Amino acid sequence: MTSLEQMLARANVLVCVGSGGVGKTTTSAVLGMHAAMNGRRTLVMTIDPAKRLANSLGIRALDHDVLPIDLRSVGGPRETLSATMLDMKRAFDEIVERQAPDPATRDAILGNRFYRFFSTSLAGAQELSASERLHDVVRSGEFDLVILDTPPTSNALDFLDAPMRFHDALDSSVVDFMANLGERVGRRGLLSGGSQLVFRTLTRFTGTELFTELGEFLHHFSSLFEGFRERTRATAALFAEPETRFVIISSPKPDTLGEARYFRERLQQLGLHLGGVVVNRVHQPFHENRFAEAAPNTLADALDTLEGADLLGRPQLLRLARKLLANAHEFDRLALSEATAIAELATEFGDGVPVLPVPLFPSDVHSIEGLDHMRKAMAQGRVSSGS
Amino acid sequence: MSTSRNRLLDHRFIINTGKGGVGKTTLSVAMAMAMARAGRRVLLFQFNVHDRVGPIFGKPPVGPEIVELAPRLFAVNTTPPDAMREYVLMTLRVRLLYRAVFENRTVARFLRMIPGLPELVMLGKAYYHEGESADGRPRFDAVILDAPATGHGMFLLQIPRVISDAVADGPMVGEAHRMAELLRDRQRTRINLITLTEEMPVNETLEYQRRLREELDIEPGGIIANSVYPTPFSATEVRQLRDLRDTLRIRTNNNHDSGERDLSSMLEAALFRDARCAMQKGYLDRLEQESGAPVIRIHHRFEPTLDAAALEFIATELSSGGSTS
Ligand SMILES: Nc1ncnc2c1ncn2[C@@H]1O[C@H](COP(=O)(O)OP(=O)(O)O)[C@@H](O)[C@H]1O
Ligand SMILES: [Mg+2]
C-alpha cells in the first residue's frame, strides 16, 4: 500500500492542519481527488477565499454551496468529487439562526455592530464555524470522506484549542459581571464600593457607551451559549472518532517540521488520531550525482561529448559547468537538511504514521492537470521505504 | 525610486507586516542588525510570540523585559496583558487602581472582547518606546515592529474600526485617532509589506495595500519581496543548457546509463532553477506594476537554518537597499 492510500484508507474525515503558506489548500484538494478517483464520494471543504483553487478545479468560483467537480479530463469519474468554500460569516450566521431562542433575540444579535467582530475576529470564532459546518456535512451521510482545509492560523495547534478559547472568552462570568453592572448603571448608588470602583475605572478608559452597549450585546449573545456548548461537545465527539484523522501539512524546513511534533503530542493528549504528515515542496538531492563532487573540468568534459557543445568552446563550457555545480550544490544543501529532518520525523513517528514528501515543482499548481500531476507524485511514496 | 530605497532604514518607526511565514521576523532581525551595525540604538518589538530571536544571539528567548542582545540591539516580546498594563498605566496614571481593576480575571476577559483593543495597546506601547527618553535623550534611535500575523496581517486596519464600529467617545477614541495620525506620518513611520514571490502572498499583499490606502489613507513605505532566488544563468546560457538537455534526451532516448542520468539531472536542475526564477520574475513584475510602490528584493539564503552569520548577509542586503537581480 502506498503512504497516500494508507492516509486515506482509514478515514472518513480528514482534518488538514498546518501553518499558512505551506500548500494546505492544494494538498487538501489533491487528497480529495485521489479518494474520488478511487470511487469514494468525497467533499473538499476549503476556507481559501482565493479563486485559484476554484480555477484549478475547473470551475468559475466556489461558494458556500456544494459543487460537483468533474474529473473526466484526468480520467476520473464525473461526480464523486465535490467542493465547497466555507464562508465564515455565513456559517456563523447559520449557527445564530439555529440557536437563538426567538426571532427577536436573533435579530438583536445579527443586527448588532459588535456581531461582525465576534463572528469573524474573536479568537476561535472561525474554527467554531468550520467545526460546525464539518459536523453538518458529515452527519448528512452524503459523503464517504470529508476533507477539511482548516483556517490559516499562524500555528497548527490553534485549531485544536480554538473552540475552547472561544468558550473561555465568552465565559459566563463576564456576562454576569456585565449584566450586573449594566443593570445598576442608572442607579449608581446601588453599586457596592468595589463594583463602583471597577465601573468608574473601566469607563474612564473605554467610555460608558462602549461599556453599556457591549454589555447589552453580551446579554443577547449569552442565550446562545448553551447551544455552543452542546455543539462543541458534538464536534469534539466527532473529532475523537477513530475514523477522523488529522493530517499535518508542513514545509520541509526543520523549524516547521518541529511544529508537527508538538501537534502530535497535543493530539495524543487529547486522544485524537494522527493520519499522517504531508511534507510539501521538498528539494531533490544531488549528493549521489557523480559530478556533484567532481572538478568543473570533469563536468565540462561530459558536456563536451554532447552534440552542439563544440559550438561553445572550452572557456564557455567551463563557466557553464561551474554554474551548474554551484546550482546543484545549493539545492543539495537544502535537500540534505530537509531529508535529514524528514527521516528523523518518520523514524520518531513510526510505521503507523505515513510521512509523505511531495517534491517542489518548477511551477505552481494551476489546473486540474496540475493537481493530478501532484497527486501522481504523492501516490508514489511507499509506506515501507521511509521516504 | 532609488531615494526611497536608500530610506529603507532611515525611519524612527518601522512596521513590518505580512502574512505568516513570509519572513517578517527574519527581516525584522536583519534590519535591527543593520541599524545596530550603523551605530543606532534599535529596539526590536515582538508581540506575544514563541521567541526565536534570543537564541539566534545565543541568549534565552526574549520575554516582556527589554534586553540587549548585541551591542545597541535591544529586543522585547510583549504579551497582551503586559501591553495592556503599561498602556493603561500610561494613560490612566493610576497604579493602585490598575491591580484592583485590570488584573481581575473577569475584567481581563472583558477587555479581550473589545474589538481592536489588543492592536491598539500594542501599537501604543511600541510608539511609547519610540518617543521614550532616558538621561535627556531618546532611549532608542529606532523601533522595529514585527507585526503579528493574526487577522491576515491586517491588524493596522482594525484600529480605526474601533472608532467607527465600537466606540463613540472616551480615551480609546482619542488614542485610536492619535495612532492613525502616527501611522500616516511618513517622516516618522515606515510601513513595509513583506511578501514572497508566490501567487497567494502577492495577491494578498496587493489587496492589503489597496485597503491600507482606501480605509486608512496610509501609503506604505514599500514592498519587500523576500526569498527571491538569485538567477545564476543568463538568457543565453539557459538557451544553451536547454539545447544540451535536448540533445542528451534524443541521444539516450530516455535509456541513459548512470553517467548520462547524472549529467541530465545537472541540466534539469539548472532549468528547474530557471523556471522558478522566471515564475518569480512574473510575480515581481506584477507587484511593481500593480502596486506603484518600490519593490525591494531580498535573496533567498540556502543555509538550512538562518543563524546570525546568515542574517548578517541579509542585513547587508538591506543596508544597500536590496538586491537588483
Ligand atoms: N531570505 C530568506 N532566505 C531563506 N530562508 C528564509 C528567508 N527569509 C525567511 N526564511 C525562512 O522562512 C521561514 C519563515 O520566516 P519567518 O521570519 O519566521 O516568517 P514570519 O515571521 O513572517 O512568520 C523561516 O524558516 C526562515 O528561516
Ligand atoms: Mg514571525
Side-chain angles (χ1 to χ4, degrees):
Chain A
M1 181 157 63
T2 65
S3 301
L4 179 57
E5 276 157 9
Q6 186 187 353
M7 217 173 271
L8 294 167
R10 298 176 292 201
N12 55 32
V13 176
L14 280 184
V15 184
C16 295
V17 293
S19 330
V22 293
K24 209 160 40 175
T25 303
T26 313
T27 308
S28 306
V30 170
L31 289 173
M33 193 168 168
H34 193 72
M37 294 289 261
N38 292 321
R40 296 178 72 189
R41 294 171 306 156
T42 306
L43 174 69
V44 177
M45 242 170 92
T46 180
I47 38 74
D48 183 358
K51 288 229 172 72
R52 184 159 60 87
L53 182 75
N55 289 343
S56 313
L57 289 169
I59 49 186
R60 222 170 343 111
L62 264 184
D63 62 16
H64 208 61
D65 302 321
V66 171
L67 270 182
I69 310 293
D70 190 340
L71 292 178
R72 281 177 302 178
S73 67
V74 289
R78 188 160 65 97
E79 46 194 16
T80 48
L81 185 63
S82 304
T84 180
M85 190 194 87
L86 189 59
D87 176 338
M88 293 295 171
K89 169 90 171 54
R90 250 182 81 183
F92 211 99
D93 290 354
E94 282 173 16
I95 301 181
V96 174
E97 275 155 21
R98 217 181 282 180
Q99 290 178 358
D102 53 71
T105 312
R106 180 197 60 205
D107 295 343
I109 294 172
L110 294 178
N112 191 289
R113 56 191 176 141
F114 286 104
Y115 174 68
R116 214 188 117 77
F117 172 76
F118 269 67
S119 60
T120 56
S121 306
L122 196 63
Q126 294 203 339
E127 288 82 356
L128 193 80
S129 314
S131 314
E132 177 81 8
R133 183 96 198 280
L134 175 72
H135 190 269
D136 284 352
V137 289
V138 171
R139 292 295 179 245
S140 78
E142 285 172 45
F143 303 98
D144 304 319
L145 175 65
V146 179
I147 299 181
L148 175 66
D149 168 25
T150 59
T153 44
S154 58
N155 181 324
L157 298 174
D158 287 355
F159 194 72
L160 289 183
D161 297 336
M164 271 178 289
R165 277 188 291 130
F166 194 73
H167 271 261
D168 195 43
L170 296 177
D171 185 276
S172 51
S173 68
V174 180
V175 182
D176 293 346
F177 162 80
M178 296 290 299
N180 250 322
L181 280 180
E183 248 171 49
R184 299 191 234 169
V185 166
R187 298 168 288 159
R188 281 214 196 146
L190 292 183
L191 284 174
S192 66
S195 316
Q196 201 173 127
L197 181 75
V198 170
F199 179 75
R200 279 221 309 265
T201 315
L202 272 179
T203 49
R204 245 175 88 185
F205 181 60
T206 62
T208 22
E209 192 183 331
L210 168 83
F211 201 80
T212 28
E213 281 195 27
L214 190 52
E216 206 181 284
F217 176 67
L218 283 175
H219 173 71
H220 290 303
F221 206 63
S222 66
S223 66
L224 307 175
F225 286 6
E226 192 41 49
F228 282 160
R229 266 189 281 276
E230 188 192 301
R231 304 303 293 169
T232 309
R233 267 196 301 272
T235 311
L238 173 64
F239 278 176
E241 282 173 14
E243 294 80 23
T244 299
R245 304 243 155 200
F246 289 78
V247 174
I248 302 170
I249 321 286
S250 174
S251 86
K253 287 184 187 138
D255 50 349
T256 326
L257 278 173
E259 253 190 26
R261 291 197 171 85
Y262 293 121
F263 196 79
R264 177 164 173 256
E265 273 168 34
R266 290 284 292 134
L267 286 177
Q268 281 170 342
Q269 284 162 8
L270 296 167
L272 306 177
H273 309 276
L274 179 59
V277 183
V278 176
V279 189
N280 195 17
R281 315 178 111 192
V282 178
H283 286 85
Q284 301 306 299
F286 280 89
H287 53 280
E288 282 175 10
N289 191 302
R290 72 184 58 199
F291 297 109
E293 300 302 327
N297 256 318
T298 317
L299 181 56
D301 287 345
L303 290 172
D304 212 3
T305 64
L306 297 173
E307 210 176 306
D310 46 328
L311 296 176
L312 293 181
R314 192 66 186 178
Q316 247 178 314
L317 273 181
L318 256 179
R319 186 151 36 96
L320 266 186
R322 276 202 200 93
K323 286 191 178 182
L324 283 173
L325 288 174
N327 180 51
H329 190 67
E330 281 177 344
F331 280 141
D332 203 39
R333 256 172 111 177
L334 281 176
L336 222 59
S337 80
E338 290 172 4
T340 314
I342 295 170
E344 270 171 19
L345 194 83
T347 314
E348 212 176 297
F349 282 18
D351 284 343
V353 182
V355 175
L356 188 61
V358 184
L360 173 67
F361 297 112
S363 62
D364 282 351
V365 176
H366 271 304
S367 59
I368 207 154
E369 288 74 22
L371 289 175
D372 195 45
H373 183 67
M374 178 163 164
R375 181 184 75 82
K376 285 178 178 145
M378 283 173 72
Q380 273 167 15
R382 294 250 140 225
V383 167
S384 50
S385 75
S387 75
Chain B
M1 180 131 129
S2 62
T3 48
S4 16
R5 274 202 175 161
N6 296 335
R7 299 201 60 209
L8 178 57
L9 301 175
D10 288 352
H11 290 76
R12 286 190 48 81
F13 198 69
I14 295 178
I15 304 180
N16 289 327
T17 66
K19 67 183 235 169
V22 296
K24 281 188 304 292
T25 305
T26 306
L27 296 189
S28 299
V29 177
M31 279 179 191
M33 286 168 117
M35 287 175 161
R37 217 159 57 180
R40 299 170 73 190
R41 292 165 62 85
V42 52
L43 176 67
L44 174 61
F45 192 104
Q46 293 192 89
F47 196 65
N48 201 24
V49 290
H50 180 82
D51 180 65
R52 300 189 328 235
V53 177
I56 293 176
F57 296 90
K59 302 262 165 73
V62 179
E65 297 300 326
I66 295 181
V67 288
E68 188 167 7
L69 293 175
R72 293 178 297 280
L73 197 167
F74 298 82
V76 67
N77 176 17
T78 190
T79 63
D82 279 317
M84 181 71 81
R85 183 181 60 238
E86 295 193 25
Y87 175 82
V88 172
L89 289 180
M90 275 164 1
T91 43
L92 291 183
R93 299 174 207 288
V94 269
R95 221 160 267 277
L96 269 177
L97 276 184
Y98 184 83
R99 289 197 72 103
V101 176
F102 285 82
E103 285 180 4
N104 175 305
R105 231 165 74 99
T106 307
V107 174
R109 282 190 178 149
F110 163 71
L111 291 173
R112 253 183 272 159
M113 286 187 217
I114 300 180
L117 187 58
E119 290 79 15
L120 185 71
V121 296
M122 173 191 68
L123 206 60
K125 180 170 153 56
Y127 266 116
Y128 168 74
H129 289 304
E130 186 251 3
E132 194 181 14
S133 55
D135 308 324
R137 61 185 194 95
R139 187 174 175 198
F140 302 106
D141 299 314
V143 173
I144 299 174
L145 185 77
D146 177 7
T150 49
H152 312 281
M154 304 243 171
F155 85 106
L156 293 175
L157 295 169
Q158 307 237 336
I159 292 167
R161 277 225 323 244
V162 172
I163 310 172
S164 55
D165 289 3
V167 199
D169 64 38
M172 269 182 71
V173 179
E175 273 301 288
H177 278 302
R178 202 171 70 87
M179 291 305 151
E181 277 314 308
L182 288 170
L183 289 173
R184 253 178 242 133
D185 180 349
R186 296 193 76 193
Q187 294 307 313
R188 201 166 165 189
T189 306
R190 178 185 171 104
I191 298 171
N192 294 312
L193 312 186
I194 300 180
T195 184
L196 297 173
T197 42
E198 289 167 21
E199 182 169 26
M200 294 275 286
V202 164
N203 287 343
E204 283 171 28
T205 301
L206 289 169
E207 162 75 4
Y208 186 39
Q209 187 203 28
R210 185 186 65 73
R211 292 187 54 194
L212 275 179
R213 282 176 175 161
E214 286 172 10
E215 293 175 28
L216 289 188
D217 190 23
I218 286 179
E219 186 56 40
I223 294 178
I224 306 184
N226 184 30
S227 250
V228 176
Y229 273 14
T231 39
F233 304 102
S234 68
T236 322
E237 285 170 334
V238 170
R239 221 173 311 117
Q240 292 165 350
L241 290 168
R242 204 171 284 134
D243 288 345
L244 292 172
R245 192 257 327 254
D246 292 344
T247 30
L248 183 62
R249 265 192 193 160
I250 294 165
R251 172 164 110 196
T252 57
N253 196 14
N254 280 331
N255 279 322
H256 21 235
D257 64 29
S258 65
E260 286 163 342
R261 194 169 54 231
D262 286 355
L263 186 57
S264 147
S265 75
M266 283 280 158
L267 294 168
E268 294 293 352
L271 295 169
F272 176 90
R273 171 69 163 264
D274 183 63
R276 290 218 65 101
C277 289
M279 192 177 84
Q280 290 191 332
K281 171 102 184 17
Y283 291 128
L284 283 168
D285 289 347
R286 224 189 111 204
L287 272 175
E288 245 155 25
Q289 280 157 18
E290 291 181 29
S291 74
V295 178
I296 291 147
R297 295 153 197 224
I298 297 302
H299 277 162
H300 183 74
R301 303 286 324 164
F302 286 86
E303 291 88 345
T305 45
L306 297 188
D307 54 10
L311 288 167
E312 285 287 354
F313 280 106
I314 300 183
T316 306
E317 263 185 303
L318 287 165
S319 307
S320 58
S323 296
T324 41
S325 72

